[in-house]
Amino acid sequence: MEWSLENVREMVAGGMQSIRECEICALAIGVCVLLLFMWYCYRVGREHGSSPLRGRYLSGSSRIGGVVGGFRSKGKHSLLEEQNGFAFCQSSECFRCTSAGESLNQRLYHSLQDYAKRYTWSGMGRVHKGVRDQGRYLNSRPTIQRPEVFFLPDLPSAPFFSREVQRHDVELLEQSFPALLAEFESIYHQPPARSGSSLPPGWKANNTPRGQWWTYYLVNQGTPLVLNVRRCPKAWRVLGQLRTFIANNVFGNACFSVLTPGALITEHYGPTNVRLRCHLGLKVPPSCELVVGGEPQCWSEGSCLLFDDSFLHRAFHEGNPEDGPRVVFMVDLWHPNVAAAERQALDYIFTPGRLEDREGK
């Protein structure tokens, strides 16, 4: 190739033409992307129209990590210290006993829309699907697993789960076994709270067909119980160190649970499948058993048992009086397959008192 001024001019002109063609292609691609984005926004806006109702996002004062010397104690939740801790108490303060029915589905959907307006719809596919079709899910579930309040679709389900799915929290609880056992002994052997009562301060008796079932709640349906927490600083500290404890919504509980010899907790379902219930065995006499989804398991002292309490389950203690009570420390952990974005949304929707506040509007 001979180098000349004419050849150089031709090369420069060809290069400029190529650049102009590339600019046209890039502009066309940009216009197409912009049109696709506008179409996507239009579809999302149509599918998730804004709600005419507005709720208030309650502050996170009930968060385990954020409470130092103070707890939620205003409004009707301050009465929890005086209420029966039994899950099926029929109390006006109990979320499970008062939140069933068609109106709950509407309140859930409005709360989810409020959350999406404040934050995002990203990652909300399963939550939106669950809220939208909640009535159908709850009514069509097989009798072996039928959560009473909220069902999140497409979650892997089994009556019992391996300790590995929440390894950090399981190991932390098991390492805390001596401290939790000692704290149980200190609150269990206190004198009765008042004359005529056989229960020490803070303990609640639950309905059972036979025997006695007592619970001592530190957190009941997402709300810390002030006096009980003050009597159990070590257990409270353990809860604060757990990574997956449900601390900010009504599905979260933490308590000491006692079954006396001869006691039976009849078959029942939990409120949701988004949690795993963890039992740390503190005192386990012979002839004690937990049956979940038809599968029996026995507790073991110093070890954790993880199960999905949305399955039909029951527990019993068929030992002799001299065997003493069965005692576990119970905490509710997130199901490992509930994503972080879904947990945040569920915390918002099921903040203690939120759905009741919306019902009154």
Side-chain angles (χ1 to χ4, degrees):
M1 178 180 179
E2 295 183 3
W3 290 93
S4 64
L5 183 58
E6 188 66 28
N7 289 338
V8 171
R9 287 176 178 172
E10 291 178 358
M11 291 176 62
V12 172
M16 294 297 292
Q17 180 65 25
S18 298
I19 291 173
R20 281 195 294 270
E21 292 175 354
C22 290
E23 288 178 348
I24 294 173
C25 292
L27 180 61
I29 292 173
V31 171
C32 291
V33 170
L34 179 60
L35 290 174
L36 287 172
F37 177 73
M38 293 174 64
W39 173 82
Y40 171 77
C41 291
Y42 170 74
R43 290 294 301 273
V44 170
R46 285 195 61 187
E47 184 177 356
H48 309 298
S50 62
S51 168
L53 298 177
R54 292 182 177 270
R56 290 177 293 110
Y57 184 27
L58 301 183
S59 64
S61 59
S62 65
R63 291 181 62 87
I64 293 298
V67 178
V68 181
F71 306 92
R72 295 174 60 97
S73 60
K74 60 183 181 179
K76 58 188 172 185
H77 295 291
S78 63
L79 300 176
L80 281 173
E81 189 73 34
E82 306 301 326
Q83 294 294 338
N84 189 341
F86 188 40
F88 310 104
C89 57
Q90 300 300 321
S91 165
S92 60
E93 304 294 335
C94 179
F95 173 80
R96 290 176 58 175
C97 297
T98 59
S99 295
E102 198 65 31
S103 63
L104 173 63
N105 297 338
Q106 297 173 0
R107 284 179 281 151
L108 289 178
Y109 197 81
H110 290 319
S111 294
L112 177 59
Q113 288 180 318
D114 283 348
Y115 172 83
K117 286 190 296 182
R118 287 174 178 263
Y119 302 101
T120 178
W121 280 105
S122 177
M124 293 298 102
R126 284 196 304 191
V127 176
H128 177 251
K129 182 180 177 183
V131 168
R132 182 188 62 201
D133 299 327
Q134 197 58 209
R136 178 170 62 84
Y137 284 131
L138 296 183
N139 293 330
S140 63
R141 295 297 304 166
T143 55
I144 193 174
Q145 184 193 25
R146 184 171 288 176
E148 296 183 328
V149 176
F150 180 75
F151 178 79
L152 186 65
D154 306 322
L155 273 186
S157 62
F160 291 95
F161 279 72
S162 166
R163 55 186 285 118
E164 297 301 318
V165 300
Q166 298 295 10
R167 183 172 181 177
H168 172 273
D169 288 354
V170 165
E171 291 182 348
L172 177 61
L173 286 166
E174 291 178 350
Q175 291 167 6
S176 305
F177 165 71
L180 293 172
L181 178 59
E183 209 150 61
F184 160 75
E185 297 285 4
S186 69
I187 60 174
Y188 187 68
H189 295 293
Q190 291 290 320
R194 52 187 177 272
S195 59
S197 172
S198 61
L199 292 176
W203 287 91
K204 305 300 176 187
N206 305 302
N207 298 326
T208 54
R210 64 173 188 265
Q212 300 293 325
W213 175 25
W214 298 340
T215 47
Y216 187 94
Y217 277 90
L218 302 179
V219 179
N220 189 347
Q221 297 183 359
T223 301
L225 302 190
V226 183
L227 297 180
N228 288 2
V229 166
R230 289 174 180 166
R231 298 185 191 109
C232 299
K234 295 178 182 177
W236 182 252
R237 193 175 302 116
V238 171
L239 291 178
Q241 295 172 344
L242 298 176
R243 293 177 181 173
T244 62
F245 173 54
I246 303 178
N248 300 317
N249 71 56
V250 297
F251 298 135
N253 301 274
C255 71
F256 293 96
S257 175
V258 172
L259 277 185
T260 62
L264 167 68
I265 301 175
T266 55
E267 291 184 329
H268 61 282
Y269 303 97
T272 183
N273 66 327
V274 302
R275 74 186 188 189
L276 295 184
R277 180 148 283 187
C278 178
H279 282 183
L280 171 66
L282 298 181
K283 289 188 171 185
V284 185
S287 303
C288 295
E289 198 166 81
L290 172 68
V291 182
V292 183
E295 298 182 18
Q297 291 279 356
C298 295
W299 297 276
S300 178
E301 293 181 0
S303 297
C304 286
L305 197 60
L306 286 173
F307 64 99
D308 183 345
D309 74 327
S310 67
F311 282 79
L312 190 66
H313 61 285
R314 62 190 177 95
F316 56 85
H317 179 354
E318 295 183 341
N320 299 315
E322 58 269 19
D323 293 332
R326 181 239 58 178
V327 183
V328 299
F329 184 65
M330 184 202 82
V331 295
D332 289 324
L333 308 177
W334 284 106
H335 189 294
N337 293 94
V338 178
E342 294 173 322
R343 296 179 186 183
Q344 181 177 326
L346 293 171
D347 278 345
Y348 180 93
I349 295 170
F350 291 102
T351 298
R354 176 176 178 78
L355 293 177
E356 290 88 340
D357 290 343
R358 176 174 290 283
E359 186 177 28
K361 292 184 178 182

